[in-house]
Amino acid sequence: MADKQPKANGTRAPLDLSAVWSRGIALLRDNAQLIAVLAGLFVLVPNAALQFTLPPDGEMEGPLSVMFDATASRAMQEKAAQTMGELMQPFILSAGIALVISHVGYAGIVALISKGRPTVGEALLQAARVILPLMIALIVTLVSIYIILLTVQLVLSPLGPEPGAFLGAIIGVLTMFYATARLALTLPVMVIEGELNPFKALRRSWQLTGISPSNVFGFWMIMAVAWFVTLMVQGLIALVVDGALGSGSTAALIQGLIGGLFAMAWGALYSAMGVAMHGLLKRRDPAEIASDFD
């Protein structure tokens, strides 16, 4: 009987969100200098450089105005869309590269603040090992969410375009946030538990977050709202910089650094909270608890 009580208590007690936050902040504080180095090199720099791959505003105004002009012919709109695609191609390619490099940084931060306490070099080696399966897991997640959203729209289409679109948007957004929250521990699972199979890592994240799904969802929703608020602040700062300095290289550098700093801060915070949540939920995992009594 003694081995059943801890299992029950471990799985029924809700996740303490304040404990996740406190543990995550402590991890950031204790490793601040090394995290700043990794986040600066792998998140700040590539995200700041993205600003210089955007086409000038003047080149985009014409195609954009045609694309959203209801009086423009279909041929003109298709030509404008093609022009926009060509203009945005360098940015899209650079954004993909920055995404991969940034996730190397996130994985390195997770490795750095995990229990093993590796050196920076060892943390980067761990990050290099997980980056390919991590990208596969990310693509699988995005494709799965897209299929779910498409299915929701198809199911609701008999209601008519407006009611169907409205309900579909609400259900779709909630589904997207819920799935993202449940799969948010995929990176810690890969780095800390060494699970390099992307499908098993996704399933493991779903299993761990299923121990306290409502609290997990609530925590990441709060984080998402806070991120959205800071994104609005970043946009306002960018408008001020654009109004004061125009569209020259100095303005692009400042806006790139601002965007990179926001991405750096949120990337480090996301990584630390993921590690903290993973550790707390892992202790409540029935399999982990059972192994303690073997």
Side-chain angles (χ1 to χ4, degrees):
M1 296 294 291
D3 59 338
K4 295 182 179 179
Q5 188 63 36
K7 177 179 178 179
N9 290 341
T11 56
R12 288 177 185 170
L15 178 67
D16 187 347
L17 300 187
S18 63
V20 175
W21 178 260
S22 298
R23 177 58 181 158
I25 293 300
L27 289 170
L28 287 175
R29 183 179 60 247
D30 294 344
N31 303 274
Q33 292 183 341
L34 293 178
I35 289 175
V37 171
L38 281 180
L41 288 175
F42 291 92
V43 183
L44 171 61
V45 172
N47 280 276
L50 273 179
Q51 189 69 31
F52 293 93
T53 64
L54 281 170
D57 293 339
E59 294 184 17
M60 294 192 294
E61 287 176 1
L64 280 174
S65 62
V66 174
M67 288 173 62
F68 293 99
D69 185 359
T71 63
S73 66
R74 183 178 181 85
M76 291 176 62
Q77 290 184 333
E78 289 178 352
K79 179 63 176 177
Q82 181 181 355
T83 302
M84 277 297 298
E86 293 172 355
L87 288 172
M88 292 298 295
Q89 188 173 0
F91 174 78
I92 294 172
L93 178 61
S94 300
I97 296 173
L99 178 71
V100 174
I101 295 174
S102 295
H103 278 79
V104 171
Y106 301 153
I109 292 172
V110 170
L112 192 67
I113 62 180
S114 60
K115 285 186 177 180
R117 298 290 181 177
T119 64
V120 173
E122 292 169 340
L124 289 177
L125 284 176
Q126 286 183 261
R129 289 177 63 239
V130 307
I131 191 61
L132 179 58
L134 180 61
M135 290 298 103
I136 294 174
L138 179 60
I139 292 171
V140 169
T141 300
L142 293 176
V143 171
S144 300
I145 290 175
Y146 175 77
I147 293 173
I148 292 172
L149 297 181
L150 184 61
T151 303
V152 169
Q153 288 294 340
L154 290 174
V155 170
L156 295 176
S157 60
L159 298 177
E162 293 184 2
F166 178 72
L167 289 175
I170 294 176
I171 296 173
V173 168
L174 290 176
T175 301
M176 181 180 66
F177 274 114
Y178 183 76
T180 303
R182 293 293 304 272
L183 299 175
L185 300 187
T186 302
L187 176 55
V189 166
M190 287 183 172
V191 175
I192 298 173
E193 299 186 21
E195 180 55 76
L196 298 183
N197 184 313
F199 300 97
K200 290 183 179 180
L202 289 168
R203 185 174 62 185
R204 174 62 171 162
S205 176
W206 193 273
Q207 172 194 352
L208 283 172
T209 53
I211 295 172
S212 186
S214 59
N215 282 29
V216 168
F217 177 71
F219 181 85
W220 292 116
M221 277 295 292
I222 293 171
M223 291 283 287
V225 170
W227 171 81
F228 183 73
V229 171
T230 60
L231 191 65
M232 293 177 63
V233 172
Q234 178 186 341
L236 290 173
I237 295 174
L239 286 175
V240 172
V241 172
D242 187 60
L245 300 177
S247 57
S249 57
T250 302
L253 176 61
I254 294 175
Q255 291 184 0
L257 288 174
I258 291 171
L261 285 170
F262 272 91
M264 173 181 168
W266 273 104
L269 185 63
Y270 159 79
S271 301
M273 294 304 160
V275 172
M277 182 177 288
H278 173 269
L280 290 173
L281 288 175
K282 195 168 183 287
R283 295 174 196 165
R284 300 165 184 263
D285 182 13
E288 295 290 331
I289 296 171
S291 66
D292 291 339
F293 295 90
D294 288 344

